[in-house]
């Protein structure tokens, strides 16, 4: 059994929220210095958190269990403007002065959810910066630090910190599992997902479920079209199906905006655009932010532009050329196999006809994976200040390459070779092959490795379940849970999940005219994707940190651009169909082209009209937001008026007397005047008498 040594500062009722694992080669002075940075008060540049170090003497590994006192969590929650539900049902930013107005405020220890506590601790850890005296990490003189550098981010980038992850809540996770991936026929518990994983992940699963629901009509019509016209020669059915798909894609995206607004309002993230702070990985010379007045790194913009246009853009162009060369090699192999099959006409040669397309689909996946790693490295090197800018540049790189790499061969077949049968075969092969391989690589393979590592951990550690460390109150179950979760893979975020949906959206809507059943294949895949993705979130991957999101971000624009491109591709495919080409000999090719040009613009006009006529948010959401805004302004005005009255009263009560003799009050002067007038009247009467 591994010998475990515990060191802590004797805090009672310690709740482990985050676990940090150090490299086994890290010297003890480095561990102690980082631990001091975590526990020191904020006045000394620390995070002011609670920490307990566990050292495995056999493996030489150091693991820190991090928690925080309730008062520190609530203070940071107010600073981060986290919203909670009030007793009147409204969502408000946490205010310590009005904490009793919020639901669940009777128990302050349980007022914040575990996900919110973990997000707060991550914020505090990322705020730990190097001081003037921190020139290097003790024990690692080769790791130089500059004033204001994010220490935790630097340690993670240099491999000093191997893992940093929040712990799962077993009880809540089990309840979520029962209502999520174990209930196949029930809708997804989006509110429970948001409460446990945060808005970013909940928004992705909401989009995946909504997208799958809106695939039902195209899938049904695609099956009918395939059943009644398997060769796609009907001049009436195929154009109508394409027109429906093109308009339906716009309806889906516009209705999703409304659904997204409802979810964001319910979760308290709609129209929340706080001042975005610099990323923890952002590097530069420490300076004062002109907006906030706080110290943060500054990096010259011209250096970032030189990196972007001098290195990143040429690399993307080179990758696109490489994708084109790979496509050419595929078509040459396809031509060679076709000639071999025409010459031999055997069963083996017939099966061999599918090999080039399958191999090319696998090569596309490999190239996408390699390019994604390179794009992330380039994006990190560009050193973007804001997380939104970082995400936008990364999505642009990935979408551009994936679009060319996945769809260039299909465009080549459709509009250069004009071979619709080959286009249909390649489209079906790419779609089905990628869906199967992604399901295997994303769920089955990680689960097998996780089970293998979990068995090894349980064999290595023979803990007495239920026993606790009497001094530090960290249960053995928590220590074993942390050991097991260390063996899990880190969740890479929703970026690649959205990218997978983006590619599928293109396969379904770009080439509806030649493969109507693509929507049905995508629907079947998504129904299993929802359950497999939810299973890997709950059981395979480590728990990710909760992230705030009001929508799907730049992906909304990417899907809308894909929907617009689909208009041109489908009109072109219908025009190139054999039945339409017969009309060119009758009415003239120029007249037919003009007709399709007119139809294309009519569809574009309909899509633009739908985008304009369908509001982005329901009326009741707009009214609720206006009501909240009005109440906030009224409260601000009342507070300002109250402060003004108090200030005026204080000024009047504290007014110092002047140097000259003080004048009597007005009522005294008035009484004196009346008395003088009365005396004069009496004297006049006496004199007259």
């Amino acid at each position: 059994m591994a010998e475990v040594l515990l060191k802590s500062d004797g805090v009672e009722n310690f709740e482990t929220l985050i676990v940090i694992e150090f490299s086994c080669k890290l010297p003890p002075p480095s561990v102690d210095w980082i631990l001091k940075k975590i526990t020191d008060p904020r006045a000394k540049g620390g995070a002011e958190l609670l920490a307990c170090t566990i050292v495995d003497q056999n493996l030489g590994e150091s693991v820190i269990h991090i928690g925080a006192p309730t008062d520190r969590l609530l203070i940071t929650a107010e600073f981060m403007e986290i919203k909670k539900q009030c007793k009147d049902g409204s969502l408000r930013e946490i205010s310590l002065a009005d904490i009793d107005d919020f639901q669940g405020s009777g128990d302050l220890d349980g007022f914040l959810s575990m996900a919110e506590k973990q997000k707060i601790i991550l914020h505090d850890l990322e705020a730990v910066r190097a001081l003037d005296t921190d020139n290097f990490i003790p024990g690692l003189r080769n790791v130089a630090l500059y004033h204001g550098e994010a220490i935790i981010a630097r340690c993670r980038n240099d491999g000093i910190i191997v893992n940093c992850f929040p712990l799962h809540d077993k009880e809540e996770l089990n309840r979520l599992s029962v209502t999520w991936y174990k209930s196949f026929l029930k809708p997804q518990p989006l509110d429970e997902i948001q409460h446990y994983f945060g808005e970013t992940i909940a928004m992705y699963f909401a989009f995946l479920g909504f997208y799958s629901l809106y695939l039902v009509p195209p899938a049904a019509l695609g099956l009918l079209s395939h059943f009644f016209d398997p060769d796609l020669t009907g001049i009436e059915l195929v154009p109508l199906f394409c027109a429906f798909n093109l308009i339906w894609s716009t309806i889906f995206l516009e209705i999703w905006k409304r659904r997204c607004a409802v979810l964001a309002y319910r979760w308290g993230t709609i129209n929340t655009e706080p001042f975005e702070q610099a990323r923890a990985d952002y590097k530069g010379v420490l300076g004062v932010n002109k907006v906030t007045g706080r110290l943060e790194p500054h990096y010259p913009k011209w250096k970032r532009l030189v990196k972007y246009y001098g290195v990143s853009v040429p690399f993307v162009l080179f990758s696109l050329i490489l994708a084109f060369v790979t496509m050419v090699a595929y078509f040459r192999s396809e031509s060679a196999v076709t000639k071999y099959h025409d010459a031999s006409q055997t069963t083996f040669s017939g099966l061999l006809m599918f090999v080039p397309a399958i191999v090319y689909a696998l090569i596309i996946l490999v190239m996408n994976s390699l390019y994604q790693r390179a794009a992330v490295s380039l994006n990190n090197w560009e050193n973007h200040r804001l997380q939104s800018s970082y995400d936008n540049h990364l999505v642009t790189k990935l979408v551009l390459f994936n679009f060319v790499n996945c769809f260039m061969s299909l465009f080549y077949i459709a509009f250069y070779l004009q071979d619709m049968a080959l286009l249909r075969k390649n489209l079906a092969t790419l779609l089905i092959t990628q869906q199967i391989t992604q399901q295997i690589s994303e769920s089955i393979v990680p689960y097998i490795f996780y089970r293998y590592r979990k068995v090894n951990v349980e064999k290595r550690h023979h803990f007495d379940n239920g026993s606790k460390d009497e001094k530090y109150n960290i249960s053995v179950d928590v220590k074993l849970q942390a050991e097991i979760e260390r063996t899990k893979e880190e969740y890479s975020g929703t970026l690649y999940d959205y990218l997978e949906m983006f590619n599928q959206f293109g396969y379904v809507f770009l080439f509806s005219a030649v493969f109507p059943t693509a929507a049905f294949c995508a629907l079947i895949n998504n129904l299993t994707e929802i359950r497999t993705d939810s299973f890997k979130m709950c059981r395979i991957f480590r728990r990710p940190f909760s992230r705030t999101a009001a929508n799907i971000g730049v992906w909304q624009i990417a899907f809308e651009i894909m929907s617009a491109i689909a208009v041109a591709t489908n009109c072109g495919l219908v025009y190139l169909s054999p039945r339409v080409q017969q009309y060119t000999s009758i009415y003239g090719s120029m007249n037919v082209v003009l007709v399709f040009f007119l139809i294309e613009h009519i569809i574009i006009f309909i899509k633009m009209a739908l985008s304009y006529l369908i509001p982005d948010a329901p009326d009741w959401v707009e009214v609720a937001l206006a009501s909240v805004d009005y109440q906030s302004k009224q409260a601000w005005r009342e507070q300002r008026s109250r402060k003004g009255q108090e200030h005026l009263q204080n000024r009047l009560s504290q007014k110092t007397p002047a140097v000259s003799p003080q004048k009597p009050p007005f009522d005294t002067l008035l009484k004196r005047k009346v008395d003088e007038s009365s005396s004069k009247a009496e004297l006049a009467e006496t004199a007259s008498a």
Side-chain angles (χ1 to χ4, degrees), residues 135-187:
N135 297 322
F136 58 88
I137 297 178
L140 298 173
R141 289 187 171 271
N142 59 327
V143 182
L145 301 173
Y146 65 86
H147 184 207
E149 185 174 9
I151 294 176
I152 301 300
R154 175 65 185 277
C155 292
R156 296 192 68 178
N157 293 334
D158 291 354
I160 298 171
I161 293 179
V162 180
N163 293 312
C164 178
F165 59 92
L167 278 184
H168 276 292
D169 186 341
K170 286 186 175 180
E171 295 182 1
E172 189 174 356
L173 183 63
N174 290 332
R175 291 194 298 267
L176 179 61
S177 301
V178 171
T179 58
W180 197 6
Y181 69 84
K182 292 183 179 180
S183 301
F184 192 83
L185 299 179
K186 295 182 179 179

Side-chain angles (χ1 to χ4, degrees), residues 465-673:
N465 293 333
S467 64
K468 293 184 177 181
D469 188 291
E470 297 179 356
K471 186 176 181 180
Y472 308 113
N473 203 21
I474 297 180
S475 67
V476 176
D477 290 339
V478 173
K479 288 180 270 184
L480 178 59
Q481 179 186 355
E483 287 289 319
I484 293 175
E485 292 189 15
R486 284 168 54 193
T487 64
K488 295 182 178 181
E489 294 186 11
E490 182 180 3
Y491 179 60
S492 57
T494 59
L495 175 66
Y496 303 113
D497 294 322
Y498 280 120
L499 188 61
E500 181 181 341
M501 291 295 102
F502 175 79
N503 292 336
Q504 185 194 91
F505 186 86
Y507 288 133
V508 172
F509 291 99
L510 282 179
F511 306 98
S512 303
V514 296
F515 191 38
T517 54
F520 178 75
C521 297
L523 176 62
I524 298 300
N525 173 80
N526 290 357
L527 293 178
T528 58
E529 182 87 10
I530 293 175
R531 306 306 163 184
T532 55
D533 282 357
S534 59
F535 174 77
K536 70 183 182 184
M537 289 299 305
C538 295
R539 300 302 177 188
I540 297 179
F541 292 129
R542 299 193 199 111
R543 183 178 187 176
F545 285 100
S546 175
R547 302 284 185 182
T548 302
N551 46 53
I552 63 175
V554 70
W555 288 108
Q556 179 77 31
I557 301 175
F559 279 95
E560 290 176 353
I561 293 176
M562 181 73 81
S563 177
I565 297 175
V567 177
T569 57
N570 280 276
C571 289
L573 291 174
V574 174
Y575 171 77
L576 294 175
S577 62
R579 291 292 298 272
V580 174
Q581 290 298 312
Q582 294 178 1
Y583 289 94
T584 59
S585 59
I586 302 175
Y587 301 102
S589 59
M590 182 58 66
N591 294 329
V592 176
V593 168
L594 290 176
V595 170
F596 273 87
F597 183 79
L598 178 62
I599 293 174
E600 177 188 28
H601 282 68
I602 290 175
I603 295 176
I604 293 176
F605 174 78
I606 294 174
K607 291 168 73 70
M608 294 176 62
L610 290 173
S611 301
Y612 177 78
L613 294 176
I614 300 177
D616 292 345
D619 292 339
W620 67 269
V621 173
E622 298 284 355
V623 172
L625 291 175
S627 176
V628 171
D629 183 61
Y630 174 77
Q631 293 175 8
S632 299
K633 290 181 179 179
Q634 289 296 108
W636 177 75
R637 289 173 180 172
E638 292 177 1
Q639 183 180 9
R640 186 178 62 172
S641 176
R642 185 166 54 252
K643 287 184 178 180
Q645 294 176 7
E646 293 176 356
H647 178 69
L648 181 61
Q649 292 176 0
N650 293 334
R651 288 288 302 274
L652 292 175
S653 62
Q654 297 176 2
K655 186 176 182 181
T656 57
V659 178
S660 59
Q662 184 176 6
K663 294 182 179 180
F666 178 75
D667 54 352
T668 304
L669 293 175
L670 181 62
K671 184 178 180 181
R672 188 180 300 172
K673 285 288 185 181

